[in-house]
Amino acid sequence: MDIEQIVREVVEQIRKKKNVPQEIILDVPLLEEGLVYSREKVVGVKEPTDSATIAEAQKITPARIGIGRAGTRMRTKSYLDFQLDHAAAQDAVKKEVSEQFLEKLAIPILKTKAQSLSEYLMNLDSGRVLCDESVHWLQQHSEKGKQVQIIISDGLSTTGIEENVPNLLSALEQGLKMKNISMEKPIFIKRSRVWVQDHVASIVNCDLVISLIGERPGLATSKSVSAYLIYKPTKDSVEADRTVISNIHKGGVQPLEAGAYLSDMIADILIKKVSGVKYTQTKE
């Protein structure tokens, strides 16, 4: 169900509630009406014993709690909220990062072997390797032997990338500069997955790669980003070799705060020369 259909369902609910004739609603353009659908949380439980506690719990979590029910089904508002979140999650996966955003980011744009969104979603390996043209570009234009290479990947949430990367990248770069850690210019890789960092590292010969990648969207948020860090990746690297910080968005770890934290972590990993599970064990 798309947004337009959802809006029309909301209008239909309003018409029924106010007993407005159908022909009147159809004659009024939606945009000129300035219809605004409220996402304010409400306690939907009928005659709750402790409404205040439910309302307080709703403030501290995006989980769908205390929404009540109508017979065996969701209430209409809960159903519309669910459909809006579902539509936003699908948009985050299916749409591409806008050209305007990439122009403002002003960094090199590379591609993987995934030729289409369908191939990217169905063939995981296609998003883990650069295409031949991007390999050639990186070989010709990158400075080799830096300490850190930053990769930005659209992943499964282009919305998350557009929402968080400007502040996150700025804070991360500033933190690394203050620590005198050398880094190659960040690159954006379209339709890429986390493991593409292994391929990139084999070309630029850096000590550490950090990938800022759009997270798989859920129904709580579709705008989240994760950061994956790996020290000296090779063709034999596995998931346990990577350190991940997830849930970076305005409702989770704030992008500016995450950038500062990641720069501290990178400095520590470069000193200890390990990442992933082995890095965690150095703190025990």
Side-chain angles (χ1 to χ4, degrees), residues 20-64:
V20 178
Q22 178 71 30
E23 58 272 19
I24 294 179
I25 292 293
L26 293 177
D27 289 343
V28 180
L30 293 179
L31 293 180
E32 292 183 8
E33 276 286 290
L35 177 64
V36 176
Y37 177 68
S38 173
R39 294 297 305 269
E40 182 181 358
K41 291 184 177 180
V42 295
V43 176
V45 179
K46 188 176 181 181
E47 299 179 356
T49 56
D50 191 348
S51 178
T53 298
I54 296 176
E56 192 63 28
Q58 287 179 332
K59 292 179 182 178
I60 60 175
T61 175
R64 298 170 198 278

Side-chain angles (χ1 to χ4, degrees), residues 110-127:
L110 306 182
K111 297 179 181 178
T112 64
K113 287 184 176 294
Q115 297 295 313
S116 65
L117 176 62
S118 176
E119 182 179 6
Y120 173 70
L121 295 176
M122 301 301 291
N123 181 358
L124 302 187
D125 288 339
S126 68

Side-chain angles (χ1 to χ4, degrees), residues 9 21 24 28 38 65 75 103 114 118 127 146-147 182 213-214 223 228 277:
E9 288 195 11
I24 294 179
V28 180
S38 173
I65 58 175
R75 291 180 178 276
E103 287 177 6
S118 176
K146 299 287 186 180
Q147 288 178 286
S182 65
I213 184 168
K223 302 177 180 178
Y228 286 79
V277 173

Side-chain angles (χ1 to χ4, degrees), residues 78-203:
S78 300
Y79 175 72
L80 293 174
D81 287 347
F82 178 88
Q83 292 293 341
L84 281 172
D85 290 337
H86 190 223
Q90 290 190 75
D91 282 350
V93 174
K94 293 180 178 178
K95 77 172 188 178
E96 294 195 357
V97 173
S98 71
E99 292 300 322
Q100 293 83 355
F101 174 82
L102 294 176
E103 287 177 6
K104 288 183 180 179
L105 207 55
I107 62 176
I109 312 299
L110 306 182
K111 297 179 181 178
T112 64
K113 287 184 176 294
Q115 297 295 313
S116 65
L117 176 62
S118 176
E119 182 179 6
Y120 173 70
L121 295 176
M122 301 301 291
N123 181 358
L124 302 187
D125 288 339
S126 68
R128 293 171 173 167
V129 184
L130 293 173
C131 66
D132 294 342
E133 182 182 352
S134 292
V135 170
H136 180 70
W137 188 94
L138 204 55
Q139 290 171 335
Q140 296 297 315
H141 296 88
S142 63
E143 289 187 48
K144 313 296 189 299
K146 299 287 186 180
Q147 288 178 286
V148 174
Q149 172 68 62
I150 301 174
I151 298 173
I152 301 169
S153 297
D154 41 11
L156 293 174
S157 177
T158 54
T159 310
I161 291 298
E162 292 185 349
E163 186 86 5
N164 301 296
V165 160
N167 286 338
L168 175 58
L169 181 60
S170 176
L172 175 58
E173 288 186 302
Q174 185 177 355
L176 294 178
K177 286 178 182 176
M178 291 176 64
K179 293 176 173 56
N180 294 317
I181 294 173
S182 65
M183 54 183 165
E184 169 60 323
K185 187 176 180 63
I187 54 176
F188 183 92
I189 308 179
K190 288 186 175 182
R191 296 193 183 113
S192 58
R193 294 185 179 275
V194 174
W195 284 27
V196 77
Q197 57 187 190
D198 302 358
H199 193 194
V200 170
S202 71
I203 299 172

Side-chain angles (χ1 to χ4, degrees), residues 228-245:
Y228 286 79
L229 304 87
I230 186 166
Y231 181 79
K232 296 279 189 184
T234 69
K235 61 181 179 59
D236 297 320
S237 295
V238 295
E239 293 296 352
D241 297 321
R242 304 171 208 276
T243 297
V244 59
I245 304 297

